[in-house]
Amino acid sequence: MRRFLLLLVICFLVHSCARVGSPVGGPKDTLAPKFLSSNIDTTRINVKRDIRELRLDFDEYVTLKDINKNLIISPPIKNIKRILPSNIANKFVLIQWTDTLQANTTYNFNFGNSIVDNNESNILRYFNFAFSTGEKLDDLYISGEVKDVMQIKKKSGSNENKLVVGLYQVKDTMNYKQKPYYITKVDDDGYYELNYLSPGKYKIIAFEDENGNSVYDPGKEKIGFKKEAIDFEKSISGLNLSVYPSKKALKYSEMKEAPGGVLMTFEGHPNEVKVTSLDEKLKDIKVTHTPKSDSVRIWFDAVKNNVGQETNEKLVFGHNMGAKKDSIYSVSLFYRYNKKNAMDVFSDNGGGSLAPKSDFKISSNFFIDKIDPSKWKLAVKGDSLTTLPFTAKISETNPYQIQVQSDFVNGKEYQLTIPKETISSFYAKNTQSKRFDFTVDKVEQYGSLEFTLSNAPSSNYWIQLLDSSDKVVYQKYTKGDKVKFDILKPAEYVVRILVDNNNDKYWDEADFATETFAEDAYVFYKKALVRALWETREEWDLKDTRTLDNPKGTLAPTVPVPPPAPEEKGKTVIENTKKEVKSGNAVLTPVK
């Protein structure tokens, strides 16, 4: 028995000694890691140019989160060889490189929010460390706000804010395909701060660094910039930038088989595209292109010309986008006729209902050349013997759509019958008869929305209503300080204005290559609520800086604290200075 008890005691002690881990209970660790020291002298000046690493020591084990996305080194150091920790936590961060540093230059390592403690993932926010290869640590800064003018939803998760601000040194030749000399991230509130800058002349840009390469990619990333260079000897605060979608360079993309022929696509938005057939079989073709559209349709009769009927057949076309009038570029594809891509028509009204005072819309997958409505029949459902008068025409703005007009009565059900071969494209006709059943909604199922604008654009503009998926569901091209939508489905809408400053009926993006700003754009600071049987009236001052994410007008900090002295171990503290703007209210009036 004694032996048994002794054995139990020994097992208990061995089991207790084997338990290694965090103590149970006690307050949760909420403190971020604390920076202790580095391999560089505390003065951080006169650092040797042939130094090949930076080591930062902390008071606890740390890991690096998304270091490749967060770490920004200004000016850039090429050939980064290794960054630790990688998979195992350490009490230090180590960055090694192979380049020789520049003389008399201040380097700033901005870690963003990448340094976290190993246990609770507490973030050491916006930590940066600077040193100089010269006799002084540059201490100038530029700060301000960056606004994505077209942003509707605040970005988070995989769709996080990727905006950065960069400075390029002004030289005889500027290479914007390289990383900026100084660069920093924009925080979630839209605030940026470029620290440890040396006096000089710079060009400033902000862009959405989607691929994380710290280089602006035209046509793929949003862009904002100042045309004038910054020549500064003192720090600057409140230098604000707005980013807009960027213009794509014109470039041929691809061709593929499409209903009725071939679809040719381009990058960018060509104003005019000329296409010719370089194939012996295809002498008779039609080409359709809407100015500023990135697609061109080439129509032909594949059956009549015996093209691609049995096997893939190579077709060759020449195209010219108008930049070089005498140059024709040859492109080809292997074409196979698809019998399923016959001409068809379908309802374009968002379901089986029709809004009051609206035209019934029919769309086709083919360009509509001619229609023969004399053979069509419109009747009240259940009374097919009585034919109702109507008119039909091809839409002036969309050649793939037909508008049918009649004295539709609210609440009634209708049938529209369209026999086959009564709608024509260049080389085809609709192959099947179609009957469309629809009900005209009652007016009390809808509401209206009216805007009164202050500081309205002097030129024409589009005012758009977007649904929850950011799709434009209603829009008007208009002018003036009042605009009204009479028949709207009840819902919450995001309201956006795109200004046609040059009146070419196309909203132009920003073009950094030619330093051309985008045309003006505005997003209403709150969603517009439309209710059935109500008239919603809103007042909108286009100079109002409130946003959907910030409807009360609380601003990000605009008065930064200067960069810290070396003895502060690289920690930057920013006071949050916020201003509140009084918000307005919508007016709802019952429809009489």
Side-chain angles (χ1 to χ4, degrees):
M1 185 68 182
R2 290 181 179 178
R3 290 181 180 178
F4 178 74
L5 291 174
L6 181 61
L7 183 60
L8 279 177
V9 172
I10 292 173
C11 290
F12 176 79
L13 291 174
V14 170
H15 179 68
S16 299
C17 293
R19 293 179 63 190
V20 178
S22 302
V24 177
K28 182 180 178 180
D29 178 17
T30 59
L31 298 177
K34 184 179 180 181
F35 170 66
L36 298 177
S37 61
S38 76
N39 64 318
I40 292 175
D41 187 87
T42 54
T43 61
R44 294 195 238 163
I45 61 174
N46 294 318
V47 175
K48 293 182 179 179
R49 295 178 59 199
D50 60 357
I51 192 173
R52 294 290 187 268
E53 68 178 32
L54 171 65
R55 176 180 169 127
L56 306 172
D57 295 307
F58 296 89
D59 67 336
E60 60 180 312
Y61 285 94
V62 299
T63 58
L64 295 176
K65 182 180 179 181
D66 296 328
I67 185 64
N68 292 328
K69 295 180 181 179
N70 279 278
L71 177 62
I72 293 181
I73 305 173
S74 295
I77 296 177
K78 297 179 181 179
N79 301 319
I80 299 295
K81 185 171 65 174
R82 185 167 61 158
I83 300 177
L84 295 176
S86 54
N87 297 322
I88 301 175
N90 279 308
K91 282 193 172 183
F92 64 86
V93 171
L94 180 68
I95 301 175
Q96 296 178 324
W97 58 86
T98 59
D99 275 4
T100 299
L101 301 180
Q102 301 176 44
N104 299 314
T105 301
T106 297
Y107 285 88
N108 183 24
F109 290 70
N110 189 331
F111 289 87
N113 292 326
S114 62
I115 300 176
V116 299
D117 69 39
N118 187 49
N119 290 328
E120 300 293 343
S121 296
N122 295 313
I123 302 172
L124 181 56
R125 297 186 181 279
Y126 305 113
F127 176 78
N128 60 68
F129 184 90
F131 63 82
S132 175
T133 56
E135 295 184 352
K136 70 171 185 174
L137 197 67
D138 292 319
D139 59 359
L140 297 180
Y141 66 86
I142 296 177
S143 66
E145 296 173 3
V146 177
K147 179 182 179 182
D148 183 346
V149 177
M150 304 287 278
Q151 180 174 307
I152 294 173
K153 297 177 182 177
K154 191 169 185 177
K155 298 186 175 182
S156 60
S158 59
N159 197 29
E160 63 181 348
N161 173 24
K162 297 178 181 178
L163 291 171
V164 297
V165 177
L167 294 178
Y168 285 92
Q169 291 178 312
V170 174
K171 299 178 181 179
D172 292 337
T173 57
M174 305 283 289
N175 187 359
Y176 293 107
K177 294 182 179 180
Q178 293 183 347
K179 293 181 179 180
Y181 192 74
Y182 295 110
I183 188 171
T184 190
K185 283 184 172 290
V186 179
D187 71 16
D188 292 338
D189 292 323
Y191 178 77
Y192 78 92
E193 188 175 335
L194 289 155
N195 285 323
Y196 304 104
L197 309 180
S198 61
K201 197 170 186 178
Y202 301 94
K203 290 281 287 185
I204 188 168
I205 70 169
F207 59 94
E208 193 169 32
D209 192 19
E210 283 289 345
N211 57 12
N213 65 352
S214 299
V215 177
Y216 166 60
D217 294 304
K220 299 178 181 178
E221 298 173 339
K222 296 179 180 180
I223 182 71
F225 53 89
K226 298 288 186 183
K227 291 184 179 182
E228 304 80 15
I230 302 171
D231 192 355
F232 76 113
E233 298 290 333
K234 296 181 180 180
S235 295
I236 300 174
S237 61
L239 201 163
N240 302 330
L241 296 161
S242 296
V243 297
Y244 293 83
S246 60
K247 183 179 180 179
K248 292 183 179 180
L250 294 180
K251 180 182 177 182
Y252 167 78
S253 180
E254 65 172 351
M255 276 197 304
K256 61 182 180 181
E257 186 271 336
V262 169
L263 172 67
M264 180 184 290
T265 57
F266 295 84
E267 291 185 6
H269 301 280
N271 190 55
E272 180 184 13
V273 180
K274 296 179 180 179
V275 177
T276 56
S277 173
L278 304 179
D279 194 280
E280 287 297 324
K281 282 190 173 183
L282 290 180
K283 293 298 184 182
D284 183 18
I285 66 170
K286 298 290 184 183
V287 179
T288 59
H289 173 251
T290 302
K292 301 287 187 178
S293 169
D294 60 359
S295 61
V296 176
R297 295 291 291 268
I298 305 169
W299 308 90
F300 52 84
D301 192 333
V303 176
K304 180 180 178 180
N305 291 287
N306 192 27
V307 174
Q309 298 297 302
E310 302 296 334
T311 184
N312 291 344
E313 189 166 345
K314 185 177 181 180
L315 300 180
V316 184
F317 298 93
H319 73 83
N320 181 300
M321 286 185 289
K324 297 180 180 179
K325 299 294 184 182
D326 300 327
S327 300
I328 297 293
Y329 298 92
S330 175
V331 290
S332 62
L333 84 159
F334 285 95
Y335 173 84
R336 180 69 178 271
Y337 175 66
N338 186 352
K339 294 180 180 179
K340 294 181 179 180
N341 283 338
M343 187 178 184
D344 193 14
V345 292
F346 46 89
S347 172
D348 194 16
N349 298 275
S353 62
L354 181 65
K357 303 178 183 179
S358 299
D359 299 337
F360 185 78
K361 300 180 182 67
I362 304 165
S363 288
S364 174
N365 56 343
F366 278 55
F367 187 100
I368 301 173
D369 185 30
K370 296 177 183 177
I371 59 175
D372 185 6
S374 64
K375 298 179 181 179
W376 302 0
K377 182 179 180 181
L378 176 67
V380 175
K381 192 172 182 179
D383 184 12
S384 58
L385 296 177
T386 304
T387 301
L388 300 176
F390 69 92
T391 60
K393 65 176 182 178
I394 302 171
S395 170
E396 296 178 358
T397 58
N398 181 4
Y400 293 83
Q401 186 183 85
I402 300 168
Q403 298 170 333
V404 178
Q405 298 174 328
S406 184
D407 293 327
F408 296 118
V409 178
N410 298 344
K412 280 199 172 184
E413 297 180 345
Y414 293 87
Q415 291 179 342
L416 176 65
T417 304
I418 299 179
K420 65 178 182 180
E421 298 186 350
T422 58
I423 301 176
S424 302
S425 187
F426 302 111
Y427 307 100
K429 295 183 178 181
N430 58 316
T431 56
Q432 294 180 340
S433 297
K434 285 289 185 75
R435 192 187 81 182
F436 299 103
D437 296 346
F438 60 95
T439 302
V440 180
D441 290 335
K442 296 179 180 179
V443 70
E444 53 263 33
Q445 295 175 260
Y446 290 78
S448 66
L449 175 61
E450 181 178 359
F451 272 93
T452 301
L453 305 178
S454 299
N455 297 297
S458 58
S459 54
N460 293 315
Y461 58 87
W462 294 268
I463 182 165
Q464 302 175 325
L465 306 186
L466 286 68
D467 63 14
S468 58
S469 63
D470 299 342
K471 177 184 176 183
V472 177
V473 288
Y474 300 99
Q475 77 170 0
K476 286 189 175 184
Y477 184 72
T478 185
K479 190 176 183 178
D481 60 1
K482 283 188 180 293
V483 59
K484 184 176 182 180
F485 294 89
D486 286 313
I487 304 293
L488 297 179
K489 288 186 177 180
E492 280 190 333
Y493 296 98
V494 172
V495 187
R496 181 172 67 191
I497 285 178
L498 302 179
V499 184
D500 189 12
N501 295 94
N502 58 11
N503 290 314
D504 66 349
K505 294 190 176 180
Y506 177 81
W507 189 81
D508 293 298
E509 305 93 340
D511 188 356
F512 184 53
T514 60
E515 292 193 328
T516 302
F517 291 130
E519 294 188 288
D520 297 331
Y522 307 90
V523 177
F524 193 40
Y525 73 92
K526 63 179 180 178
K527 291 183 178 180
L529 176 62
V530 175
R531 296 176 179 174
L533 268 179
W534 286 82
E535 292 181 351
T536 303
R537 298 197 300 271
E538 294 278 8
E539 294 185 359
W540 184 4
D541 187 347
L542 297 190
K543 289 187 176 181
D544 193 334
T545 58
R546 287 174 288 180
T547 66
L548 282 166
D549 291 330
N550 202 2
K552 292 185 178 180
T554 302
L555 303 178
T558 57
V559 184
V561 174
E567 59 269 16
E568 291 184 71
K569 306 292 186 184
K571 292 186 70 176
T572 301
V573 180
I574 300 171
E575 295 290 340
N576 285 335
T577 307
K578 297 189 176 182
K579 184 172 73 173
E580 208 167 274
V581 181
K582 186 178 180 181
S583 59
N585 296 311
V587 178
L588 296 175
T589 305
V591 176
K592 296 180 181 179

